[in-house]
Amino acid sequence: MNIILFGPPGAGKGTQADNISKKLNLHKVSTGELLREEIDSNTNLGVKIKSLMDSGSLVSDDIINNLIINIFSEKKFSNRIIFDGYPRNLSQAKSLDLLVKKHNQKISCVLSLDVDKEIVIKRILGRQVCSNCGLIFNKYFKPSTKDNHECDEKYLNKRSDDYEKVIANRFETYLNITFPILEFYENQNLLHKINGDNQISVIYKEIEAIIASLET
Ligand code: AMP
């Protein structure tokens, strides 16, 4: 099964994608993470990507489509993907449709996390990512503790685009460019809306129920 996790920045897509991928043994494909890896490798492309990302704008479709084509070329990902932060505009959604068909696969569902803007801002401002293991924490809602995290505190970092003035821009980009593609998936009867204001565990239970209903 291939799943799309949809929602504004700070909706908790990454956290829920981690939960689902563990439980169902799916591969999380986060275009944001793939782009950050490119930035970390200090390539020319990485420098270009960073300035776009740090302004809260989207990276070009060509760059994103190439990342996704590479993913589909790997057998281990076949029908086992959970997309986090992709697609982000109609052109990406249509490219994904073509790729999925070309590889004889399908999108099983689109899970859309609806979250209030105030909550999004608090979640993003508190977000911490472990540079050692990749786990995501939040100093307000899900702090890193000895029970949930093995790495040293020194590895916890804030993302360079998680600052207040960039967040406003990212939210606008979501509303104007990304949100409208929900209709594309609604028309295909793939869309499931979830109240993303709830606690992580409550949201996850709802997601589990939706996925279970697909399997029967
Ligand atoms: P994320 O980690 O999903 O919050 O993404 C962080 C940033 O990476 C976004 O604000 C965009 O600048 C860029 N990005 C991630 N995914 C995409 C995508 N599918 N299309 C265009 N830009 C993207």
Side-chain angles (χ1 to χ4, degrees), residues 5 13 28-39 49 53 58-61 63-69 71 81-89 92 96 159:
L5 259 181
K13 300 185 295 293
K28 175 171 98 163
V29 172
S30 156
T31 42
E33 275 173 21
L34 293 172
L35 294 171
R36 280 186 286 279
E37 279 169 19
E38 187 70 37
I39 293 173
I49 293 172
M53 237 190 201
L58 292 185
V59 169
S60 82
D61 288 344
I63 294 175
I64 300 293
N65 289 340
N66 280 334
L67 291 175
I68 301 296
I69 287 169
I71 296 288
I81 303 176
I82 171 140
F83 290 105
D84 162 11
Y86 172 86
R88 252 171 153 112
N89 60 28
Q92 291 180 12
L96 176 61
R159 278 172 41 178

Side-chain angles (χ1 to χ4, degrees), residues 20-205:
I20 301 166
S21 68
K22 245 189 256 159
K23 179 86 190 254
L24 297 180
N25 200 17
L26 300 180
H27 298 276
K28 175 171 98 163
V29 172
S30 156
T31 42
E33 275 173 21
L34 293 172
L35 294 171
R36 280 186 286 279
E37 279 169 19
E38 187 70 37
I39 293 173
D40 288 345
S41 54
N42 261 324
T43 57
N44 284 343
L45 181 62
V47 173
K48 254 194 237 161
I49 293 172
K50 183 164 168 38
S51 75
L52 282 168
M53 237 190 201
D54 285 354
S55 71
S57 309
L58 292 185
V59 169
S60 82
D61 288 344
D62 282 352
I63 294 175
I64 300 293
N65 289 340
N66 280 334
L67 291 175
I68 301 296
I69 287 169
N70 286 342
I71 296 288
F72 272 89
S73 69
E74 280 195 55
K75 223 171 172 189
K76 67 172 181 180
F77 290 112
S78 182
N79 257 322
R80 309 210 62 77
I81 303 176
I82 171 140
F83 290 105
D84 162 11
Y86 172 86
R88 252 171 153 112
N89 60 28
L90 194 57
S91 151
Q92 291 180 12
K94 289 184 175 170
S95 300
L96 176 61
D97 239 34
L98 290 176
L99 259 180
V100 157
K101 285 188 184 121
K102 182 175 162 197
H103 290 268
N104 287 321
Q105 297 181 37
K106 61 174 190 149
I107 301 295
S108 312
C109 66
V110 177
L111 305 171
S112 172
L113 301 175
D114 270 345
V115 191
D116 191 78
K117 189 173 175 184
E118 301 312 307
I119 294 184
V120 156
I121 290 173
K122 200 166 176 196
R123 280 190 187 158
I124 295 183
L125 289 176
R127 175 154 60 191
Q128 297 170 314
V129 184
C130 177
S131 58
N132 194 40
C133 69
L135 284 178
I136 306 165
F137 299 94
N138 188 294
K139 69 178 180 204
Y140 307 116
F141 300 110
K142 185 194 169 192
S144 153
T145 65
K146 285 199 179 80
D147 295 332
N148 64 14
H149 190 206
E150 289 175 354
C151 310
D152 194 280
E153 293 275 303
K154 72 177 179 196
Y155 292 111
L156 291 175
N157 291 316
K158 220 170 142 62
R159 278 172 41 178
S160 63
D161 56 348
D162 277 351
Y163 291 88
E164 212 150 356
K165 69 175 194 301
V166 186
I167 295 169
N169 220 351
R170 285 164 63 198
F171 204 83
E172 282 305 300
T173 305
Y174 170 76
L175 286 181
N176 296 329
I177 301 174
T178 307
F179 183 75
I181 70 176
L182 277 186
E183 202 187 333
F184 177 77
Y185 290 116
E186 198 158 26
N187 291 338
Q188 298 178 51
N189 283 326
L190 290 175
L191 184 63
H192 297 262
K193 290 186 183 163
I194 295 166
N195 180 356
D197 291 344
N198 282 329
Q199 283 180 5
I200 293 169
S201 58
V202 176
I203 298 172
Y204 183 60
K205 279 217 171 89

